[in-house]
């Protein structure tokens, strides 16, 4: 049986850093060149520096056709990739292709964050990078030091979403909580999309025990990733990992979150925690669309094109619904003037 280190293809160095053997190829940037993904219409993409000191950047994807008019600009999706906070990149082929596909199929402009990984940069570093991305988008919307011309041409900043899978879904949750304390105007985050969000806890859930030797995310590998990602000395009941067990203040704050889409699969060891998250959010009055399918596995959309297609449809339906609500609210506000 593979050890967790071998399964994850990582080696821990004497200084605590990791040597990572890439599980997925990386897609390099050629500015304004189309991607080599399998979509019939390809998104264009380019990389934009975020924080050179932290070596973070944003990969921007836009559909090939501009919006028909300034009254029909596109929603903006801020994307966080998965990998247990310790693996992968915004440039990793599965995440790159998924962002390109969403840009074309929704359509939308997608910003995918290259954030700092643990254990070299333990949490909350990734959350800090996520919030810095939101602030960068706000500065773009305010035209601070000039807005990127593609964003100005394509994006409706009143229709922004945070989106992520696995650890990226966890980042959506925590970045959204932090954004509640920030004036993001004129940017409005109107939806949170968490696909198989990555949460756990000290006490094992029934699904974790049932899938202890899961082929994608066995429990020892899950525990290892959390031990490398959480702050030194923290256990899995830390609020970064198990916000459902947090104090009343954090739970009160959860009630202020915007609409959420939470998706999952019954064959995922994390499914019970994802269901628990939905219950906690709903109990605090959050508008939650929960879509849990039978079977499957963690990260199934990477391996199964049909599941990937179904996920994109769910995301499109959610984004369209949220945008219609904004349009209706805006029209109602104007009618009262």
């Amino acid at each position: 049986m593979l050890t967790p280190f071998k399964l994850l293809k990582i080696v821990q160095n004497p200084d605590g850093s990791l040597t990572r053997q890439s599980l997925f190829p990386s897609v390099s940037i050629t500015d304004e060149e189309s991607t080599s993904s399998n979509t019939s219409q390809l998104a264009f993409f380019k990389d934009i520096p975020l924080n050179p000191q932290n070596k973070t950047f944003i990969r921007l994807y836009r559909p090939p056709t501009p919006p028909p008019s300034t009254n029909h600009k596109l929603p903006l999706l801020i994307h966080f990739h998965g990998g247990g906070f310790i693996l992968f990149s915004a440039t990793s082929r599965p995440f790159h292709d998924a962002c390109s596909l969403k840009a074309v199929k929704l359509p939308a402009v997608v910003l995918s964050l290259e954030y700092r990984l643990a254990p070299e940069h333990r949490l909350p570093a990734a959350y800090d990078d996520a919030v810095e991305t939101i602030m960068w988008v706000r500065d773009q919307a305010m035209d601070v030091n000039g807005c990127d011309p593609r964003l100005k041409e394509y994006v409706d900043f009143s229709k922004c979403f945070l989106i992520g899978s696995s650890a990226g879904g966890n980042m959506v949750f925590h970045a959204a909580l932090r954004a509640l304390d920030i004036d993001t105007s004129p940017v409005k985050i109107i939806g949170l999309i968490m696909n198989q969000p990555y949460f756990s806890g000290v006490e094992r859930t029934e699904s974790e025990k049932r899938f202890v030797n899961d082929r994608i995310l066995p429990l020892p590998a899950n525990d290892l990733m959390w031990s490398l990602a959480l702050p030194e000395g923290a256990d899995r009941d830390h609020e970064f990992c198990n916000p459902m067990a947090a104090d009343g203040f954090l739970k009160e704050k959860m009630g202020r979150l915007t609409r959420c889409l939470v998706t999952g699969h019954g064959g995922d060891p994390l499914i019970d925690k994802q269901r628990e998250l939905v219950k906690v959010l709903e109990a605090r009055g959050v508008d939650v669309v929960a879509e849990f399918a039978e079977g499957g596995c963690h990260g199934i959309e990477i391996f199964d094109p049909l599941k990937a297609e179904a996920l994109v449809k769910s995301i499109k339906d959610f984004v369209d619904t949220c945008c219609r609500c904004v349009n209706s609210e805006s029209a109602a506000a104007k009618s009262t003037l």
Side-chain angles (χ1 to χ4, degrees):
M1 185 176 177
L2 291 176
T3 67
F5 283 93
K6 288 185 177 179
L7 178 72
L8 298 171
K9 295 190 176 181
I10 57 175
V11 175
Q12 191 156 27
N13 303 313
D15 65 356
S17 65
L18 296 182
T19 297
R20 300 167 176 87
Q21 300 171 351
S22 180
L23 295 172
F24 300 120
S26 180
V27 179
S28 62
I29 186 67
T30 303
D31 193 35
E32 288 299 293
E33 289 291 326
S34 60
T35 73
S36 56
S37 62
N38 293 322
T39 53
S40 57
Q41 285 183 296
L42 304 176
F44 293 94
F45 70 98
K46 66 177 182 178
D47 289 346
I48 303 170
L50 178 64
N51 186 326
Q53 183 177 349
N54 290 336
K55 299 179 180 178
T56 55
F57 64 85
I58 296 164
R59 179 160 286 191
L60 183 154
Y61 302 82
R62 63 175 177 86
T65 305
S69 71
T70 56
N71 294 324
H72 295 85
K73 289 189 176 183
L74 303 178
L76 178 68
L77 273 60
I78 302 174
H79 176 267
F80 311 125
H81 69 79
F85 299 106
I86 70 168
L87 296 172
F88 309 137
S89 162
T91 69
S92 297
R93 168 64 72 185
F95 308 122
H96 174 86
D97 285 354
C99 288
S100 178
L101 185 67
K102 291 182 185 77
V104 173
K105 294 292 187 182
L106 292 185
V109 172
V110 180
L111 301 179
S112 185
L113 171 63
E114 178 75 354
Y115 58 86
R116 290 171 292 170
L117 297 179
E120 295 87 349
H121 305 281
R122 289 176 176 267
L123 294 174
Y127 305 151
D128 293 340
D129 295 342
V131 172
E132 189 171 15
T133 303
I134 295 169
M135 300 307 290
W136 180 87
V137 171
R138 185 197 68 174
D139 289 348
Q140 293 291 302
M142 295 177 68
D143 212 2
V144 175
N145 299 321
C147 181
D148 182 278
R150 297 306 184 195
L151 288 176
K152 181 177 287 188
E153 180 184 7
Y154 279 71
V155 170
D156 182 343
F157 289 102
S158 70
K159 297 173 181 175
C160 294
F161 297 79
L162 305 184
I163 179 172
S165 296
S166 191
N170 176 298
M171 288 177 65
V172 166
F173 176 82
H174 284 288
L177 286 175
R178 288 173 169 225
L180 293 173
D181 299 324
I182 300 168
D183 180 8
T184 63
S185 180
V187 169
K188 294 182 180 178
I189 299 170
I190 64 169
L192 309 178
I193 302 168
M194 294 174 272
N195 175 47
Q196 297 185 298
Y198 188 54
F199 296 105
S200 190
V202 170
E203 183 179 350
R204 304 301 190 193
T205 66
E206 289 302 313
S207 59
E208 285 176 330
K209 290 187 283 188
R210 188 163 62 250
F211 299 113
V212 62
N213 294 317
D214 183 67
R215 64 185 182 88
I216 302 296
L217 191 61
L219 207 53
N222 185 45
D223 290 352
L224 174 60
M225 287 191 288
W226 278 117
S227 73
L228 294 170
L230 287 169
E232 291 280 4
D235 65 20
R236 291 189 306 279
D237 278 340
H238 190 284
E239 66 183 53
F240 295 164
C241 179
N242 191 14
M244 289 73 77
D247 60 26
F249 173 76
L250 185 65
K251 288 184 176 178
E252 179 276 328
K253 198 173 181 182
M254 290 181 200
R256 295 162 52 201
L257 291 174
T258 189
R259 300 178 182 93
C260 298
L261 170 64
V262 182
T263 61
H265 288 272
D268 181 1
L270 308 184
I271 186 68
D272 284 354
K273 273 296 176 188
Q274 294 155 8
R275 292 185 186 277
E276 185 181 344
L277 172 68
V278 168
K279 288 180 180 179
V280 169
L281 291 174
E282 288 180 335
R284 275 143 191 85
V286 179
D287 183 0
V288 183
V289 177
E291 297 187 2
F292 294 111
E294 295 299 317
C297 62
H298 193 73
I300 191 169
E301 71 278 1
I302 295 174
F303 314 105
D304 186 332
L306 291 178
K307 296 295 185 184
E309 184 178 336
L311 177 61
V312 170
K313 183 182 184 305
S314 293
I315 292 169
K316 178 175 173 55
D317 290 346
F318 178 76
V319 168
D320 288 348
T321 298
C322 291
C323 290
R324 281 197 300 271
C325 288
V326 169
N327 292 339
S328 298
E329 291 164 2
S330 177
K334 288 179 180 178
S335 68
T336 60
L337 296 178

